[in-house]
Every structure is written in C-alpha cells, then in structure tokens.
Amino acid sequence: MDKVWLSSYPPGVPAEVDLSEFGSVNDIFARSCARFRERPAYRNLGHSLSYGELDRLSVAFAGFLQRRLKLARGARVALMMPNLLQYPVALFGVLRAGLVVVNVNPLYTPRELEHQLRDAGVEAIVILENFAHTLETVLGKVHVKHVITTQIGDLLPVPKRWIVNAVVKHVRKKVPAWNIPATTAFRDALREAPGEPVTLGHEDIAFLQYTGGTTGVAKGAILTHGNMVANLQQASAWVAPFIGEQAGTIVTALPLYHIFSLTANGLTFMKVGWCNLLITDPRDLKAFVHELAQNPFHAITGVNTLFNALLNTEGFAALDFKPLRVCLAGGMALQQAVAERWHALTGAHLVEAYGLTETAPAACINPLDMDHYNASIGLPVPSTEISIRDDGGAELALGEVGELCIRGPQVMRGYWARPDETAKVMTTDGFLKTGDMARVDERGYVHLVDRKKDMILVSGFNVYPNEVESVAVMHPGVLEAAAIGVPDPQTGEAVKLYVVKKDPGLTAEALVEHCRANLTPYKVPHSIEFRDELPKTNVGKILRRALREG
C-alpha cells in the first residue's frame, strides 16, 4: 500500500526514524541518566527518584543479579508488582545485567502464574510481598530459583517507609501470610556493588511480554532491544514537536507490566527526560484525584474507561488543567462522548492510538494537534507499513475493509518457543496479521471496523474466550461453555458466559466462584446464562457469532 498517510503527518514528524542511533534500551537509558541527572524520573507515594538515583540503584541491582545470583546473560527475570518506584529500578537493573524482563500481572491466579513462569523458564522473580502467597503455591512446579521480595514503601525515606509498610500490612491487612524460604529483600539487593557493563545489540531479547491467544494459552511475544528501540524512536518522534525540550510530568495510571504503559509512559517519556507519576491503585479514584491535585501534570495516558471514570469522580473538575498538553487513549476504543466531554472540561483533546503487544506496541497514532474526534485510530507511525488484506492475502484498495496487517522494525521476532503460533500471524512478506478488520481512508487514517478474532476487551485488557471457557468446563457441573463480550458502560466490554449444565443443581453463583479462583478478576464472567444447548457448526464447533447476534 502506498504511504498516503505521510501527507497527513504533523509538521516535524519524520517519515522514517534512525534505528542506528541506539544499540539497546540500555543505551537510551544511560543517555537520559547523563542528560537529565538532577531531574525527577519517577514519582510515587509522594517521593521521587531522580535520574541520577535511578542510575545508581539500577546498576546496583544489576550487580546483585550478576554477582550474587550469577544469572547468565539472557536469563529470564519476572517482575510482579504494581506501579511502584521499585519497578523501574528492577526493570533497568535486569536490562543492564543483560537479562530478559518477563512482566507478570500481580493479580494472576496460581494457575495463570504457573503457566507464565514455566513457559518463560523464569529463574528469578521480584515480587511485592502482597502477592507472595500466590507465588508460594506454585514454586514447586516451576524453575524459579531466586525470589526477591519487596514492600510497598521500600524506596520511601524513613520514617514514611516504616509507616506505609506497617499500615499496609497490619492496618489494611493487604499482605496475606506467606512462607518462602531463602528470599532476598529488595533493599538488601540494592547494597551490591555496581554490575559489569554488558554490551547489547538489536538482536538481543529485552522482554518476553505475554499476551493471550485464540487457543486460550498465553504466549510470550519476543520483543528485542531492536524492537523496543524502534518503538521508542517512533513514539518520541511523534510527540517531540508537541512537548519541546522542557521537563514535564506524565500520569502513569495504567500498570507498567502492560505493554501500553510500559512503552508509552515508562520508556518513551524516560527517553525525553520527563517524570512518570506512578499511580499504584487507579481504582481508588478519590486517592487518584488527590494525587493529581498535588502534582501538576502535562500528559496522561489511559483507556476509555479510565478517562470516563475520572470525569465522573468528585474533585476532578476542580483540578488545574492549564499545563496539560498530551492526552493519549489506547487499549480499547475511545468513545466520542468521552472524548468530547474530556475536551470540554480540560481544554485538551483526547487522542486515540492503536497498538498490540506484538508491535511493542505503537503502530498508529492520531496527530497530537488534532482538534476534533475523528473515530480513527490514527496514522501509521514513522518507519511503519500497513496493508489491508482479504482472507486470501490479497491487498485491498483504499476504503475497502479487510484485515489490518503491519510491518515495521517494532514488530516482534515471534512467540517464545511457539513457531507454529508465530507462523499463524506472520505473512511470508513480513507483515503481522492483527486479526482486526479495518479500512484506510484517502488521507491515510486507519479506521477499525470489527475484530476478526473473538477477543473480548475489558478495560483495555485482552480476554480470550477459550481461556474462560477452559476454566468453566473444569467445573464438574459444566457440560459446555461459550464466552463472548457484551457492552458494559464501565469497562467497555464484559464477559458473558453461556453454559450447558451437566449437574442440574449448578448455580451461577457457584460457577462464578469457581472462575474467580482460576482467573484474574477482569476475566471472570460478569453474567452467566444457562441454556439447554449451544449453537454449533455442522462439525460441532460452537458458534460464538450466533450468541453475539442474539
């Protein structure tokens, strides 16, 4: 497809980015630490780490991983925590040691956690002790040899550190009992001498970033340093004309273990010397708004449901929005009503972007100077090609609807240890098949029409029906099950489960409890409907489409 979108690029955004400028994410990080040493890099719970402090702490953690744990180059290290100051310290420490980051959702059930740790071959894990009880149940079934635990307030100054940790553990009782022998405290790990410098290149793996799949089994997208450098170059080139050289603060409410927040916030704005304001629990909207009131902010990213929730939270309308320049929505469709209400209140336009775990993630972004809602996911970012193809792989013309395919330096190497799954999504000419149906207009703007896959999108998180169904039929009272997404005013979509009973006495409440024990909360069915039979094809495959259509 001709790059018709280039004529719609905002002034100052290049058609191509320089991929040779940096050899690795570490090179970008080192340059930022040198250039912005005195600036705050990450802020959380009222305390900031400067770029200089982050440099010192991360290189010490790298030394711990290299010397004390003796992890070989390329070993996988899991990070299992919400947005805390410990996250960037651990992240950059792992990368600087020449190791691979495996981000883990801290709300995983034992079943989900066991699969990911085993599949990735994780040797060490850094975990907030609030979730150590989950890890304890699976340690005997995985290859993890080293456990580093941390408490929420570990990087806060005393006495605040002591107070926060005591309140979380003893007053709010947020730390279930756990017993894992021979753990190392995160603060102790930071006392190690600096690690040995490791030279990395574009082909070295930076992240195994897990995503679901049509089989219901989470797969690790292999994101190399080259993939990440490319996406950071692409994203920063897109925002540079609009943010200038001055320091700023970006609100990071989405979890850094999610690829959107990781790249768009944690890494891109690190590259340009801004401060990430880390929100540990964005579901506590009252505390969230209070934090925003204490910290002038210049940019914010989120999903549609987050922006909608903020607009409906007491006190948000009273904030000072004069510094706000960049508002980026991704992860799920941005609703026009939310975008228009956001602009009316804040004076800033909410701009939609699109990406996937497999594209590190940015693939399309709307111009940041856009002055209206356009129902588009934007323009392909620099150094990126797109193609709209039919089921036979033939490219379609502008305006025609087909599967959106993407080619560029940010596209993953493939799925970890799953060449068969990789082959399903990569074309012979190097395009990634997204599974999303789209069309491109004459100006190059991409418009999503529908999802080819059966994926359900709950507050920006992927839920794959097969996983929910597999868990449901584990219950002895279930004969068959089918999961679909249904509209939900709070989360965009919610999971609805259709069930044929094996046990006539099975109740919806009992099945929901079973699902809660085996699924992360956002994957748990919001509603259950019992039926005598489910619609099927002539070969017996359940027709989810028929359920969606009523």
Side-chain angles (χ1 to χ4, degrees):
M1 178 175 285
D2 292 337
K3 294 186 176 183
V4 295
W5 51 85
L6 294 180
S7 62
S8 298
Y9 269 21
V13 176
E16 304 288 331
V17 292
D18 182 3
L19 301 177
S20 65
E21 185 178 1
F22 300 100
S24 68
V25 176
N26 294 353
D27 293 344
I28 295 175
F29 178 59
R31 190 189 70 166
S32 290
C33 289
R35 289 181 63 194
F36 311 118
R37 200 157 192 84
E38 303 306 318
R39 288 188 187 181
Y42 295 85
R43 181 171 179 80
N44 179 240
L45 301 176
H47 181 65
S48 297
L49 288 180
S50 69
Y51 279 87
E53 290 171 316
L54 183 58
D55 184 25
R56 175 179 59 82
L57 292 172
S58 62
V59 80
F61 190 61
F64 168 80
L65 297 170
Q66 290 172 323
R67 291 194 184 90
R68 289 268 299 279
L69 301 192
K70 301 186 185 307
L71 295 176
R73 178 171 172 153
R76 275 76 66 201
V77 179
L79 305 183
M80 187 172 176
M81 67 187 91
N83 289 358
L84 298 168
L85 293 175
Q86 294 91 307
Y87 181 88
V89 172
L91 171 79
F92 293 116
V94 172
L95 294 177
R96 292 181 109 167
L99 309 175
V100 177
V101 174
V102 181
N103 280 308
V104 178
N105 185 338
L107 297 180
Y108 269 170
T109 64
R111 183 189 66 85
E112 294 165 315
L113 179 60
E114 178 187 342
H115 166 73
Q116 187 164 327
L117 296 181
R118 180 187 292 171
D119 189 75
V122 167
E123 295 185 41
I125 184 170
V126 185
I127 186 170
L128 183 67
E129 69 167 10
N130 301 45
F131 311 104
H133 65 289
T134 305
L135 177 63
E136 180 184 355
T137 65
V138 305
L139 272 180
K141 307 172 187 177
V142 296
H143 305 294
V144 174
K145 303 172 186 174
H146 311 286
V147 178
I148 302 99
T149 59
T150 187
Q151 299 180 72
I152 281 181
D154 270 359
L155 292 186
L156 302 179
V158 292
K160 187 174 183 177
R161 180 201 317 154
W162 301 334
I163 294 170
V164 167
N165 287 342
V167 168
V168 169
K169 190 167 188 175
H170 302 296
V171 178
R172 297 182 181 173
K173 301 189 183 302
K174 295 287 189 179
V175 184
W178 58 276
N179 180 24
I180 300 174
T183 61
T184 301
F186 188 70
R187 286 185 56 80
D188 290 340
L190 300 181
R191 296 188 176 97
E192 189 70 36
E196 296 295 326
V198 177
T199 300
L200 299 171
H202 284 189
E203 294 305 310
D204 289 295
I205 301 174
F207 296 89
L208 288 187
Q209 194 71 20
Y210 274 72
T211 183
T214 55
T215 61
V217 178
K219 306 182 296 291
I222 302 171
L223 298 178
T224 65
H225 279 271
N227 294 145
M228 300 306 292
V229 166
N231 215 223
L232 293 182
Q233 293 288 76
Q234 292 163 326
S236 58
W238 200 265
V239 303
F242 304 95
I243 64 174
E245 296 291 328
Q246 298 300 312
T249 294
I250 182 167
V251 179
T252 302
L254 298 183
L256 287 166
Y257 58 76
H258 191 284
I259 191 64
F260 177 21
S261 185
L262 171 67
T263 302
N265 293 48
L267 297 180
T268 297
F269 281 86
M270 171 276 298
K271 181 177 183 290
V272 297
W274 279 34
C275 177
N276 272 261
L277 175 62
L278 304 180
I279 306 301
T280 304
D281 183 10
R283 292 170 297 182
D284 185 347
L285 289 164
K286 182 178 179 181
F288 186 178
V289 170
H290 177 75
E291 191 77 12
L292 295 179
Q294 306 303 309
N295 297 276
F297 56 100
H298 307 82
I300 184 171
T301 65
V303 293
N304 183 83
T305 49
L306 176 69
F307 294 116
N308 189 42
L310 286 172
L311 288 169
N312 290 288
T313 298
E314 184 179 356
F316 183 72
L319 296 178
D320 179 12
F321 298 108
K322 289 190 293 294
L324 187 57
R325 283 179 272 166
V326 176
C327 306
L328 194 65
M332 63 186 296
L334 174 63
Q335 296 171 344
Q336 182 172 357
V338 172
E340 292 177 348
R341 188 178 169 199
W342 181 270
H343 175 250
L345 175 62
T346 69
H349 286 282
L350 192 48
V351 172
E352 188 167 4
Y354 169 86
L356 305 132
T357 301
E358 292 87 344
T359 57
C364 298
I365 310 177
N366 270 292
L368 298 186
D369 60 355
M370 189 177 68
D371 60 2
H372 64 285
Y373 174 82
N374 66 359
S376 160
I377 58 171
L379 306 166
V381 295
S383 298
T384 300
E385 300 173 78
I386 63 169
S387 178
I388 304 297
R389 301 188 174 185
D390 63 19
D391 288 340
E395 185 166 80
L396 301 175
L398 291 178
E400 293 189 285
V401 174
E403 183 172 9
L404 173 61
C405 300
I406 300 168
R407 183 167 66 184
Q410 74 272 44
V411 173
M412 67 170 185
R413 178 188 295 176
Y415 293 119
W416 178 256
R418 283 184 165 78
D420 54 334
E421 292 291 329
T422 302
K424 291 178 184 177
V425 299
M426 298 301 301
T427 67
T428 55
D429 56 348
F431 278 85
L432 171 76
K433 297 190 288 186
T434 68
D436 288 320
M437 305 300 286
R439 63 177 176 84
V440 180
D441 67 25
E442 67 281 357
R443 295 180 302 154
Y445 283 86
V446 183
H447 299 260
L448 289 189
V449 177
D450 200 356
R451 285 195 301 275
K452 189 174 183 179
K453 300 175 182 175
D454 285 322
M455 181 183 72
I456 304 164
L457 208 59
V458 179
S459 293
F461 287 90
N462 296 349
V463 179
Y464 291 87
N466 279 351
E467 181 180 18
V468 179
E469 293 160 3
S470 296
V471 167
V473 298
M474 287 165 52
H475 192 289
V478 173
L479 178 63
E480 292 180 329
I484 66 167
V486 294
D488 185 277
Q490 304 302 318
T491 59
E493 282 189 308
V495 179
K496 180 171 183 178
L497 189 67
Y498 291 87
V499 174
V500 176
K501 294 181 183 181
K502 183 185 296 181
D503 176 3
L506 177 66
T507 65
E509 293 78 10
L511 187 51
V512 166
E513 283 303 309
H514 165 78
C515 291
R516 282 189 183 132
N518 291 281
L519 293 167
T520 306
Y522 64 83
K523 300 177 185 176
V524 174
H526 187 265
S527 60
I528 293 177
E529 182 175 326
F530 292 111
R531 290 195 170 186
D532 293 331
E533 60 181 12
L534 298 178
K536 298 183 177 72
T537 66
N538 57 359
V539 295
K541 184 178 179 180
I542 294 174
L543 284 168
R544 297 196 191 102
R545 184 184 70 252
L547 293 171
R548 284 195 294 268
E549 294 171 351

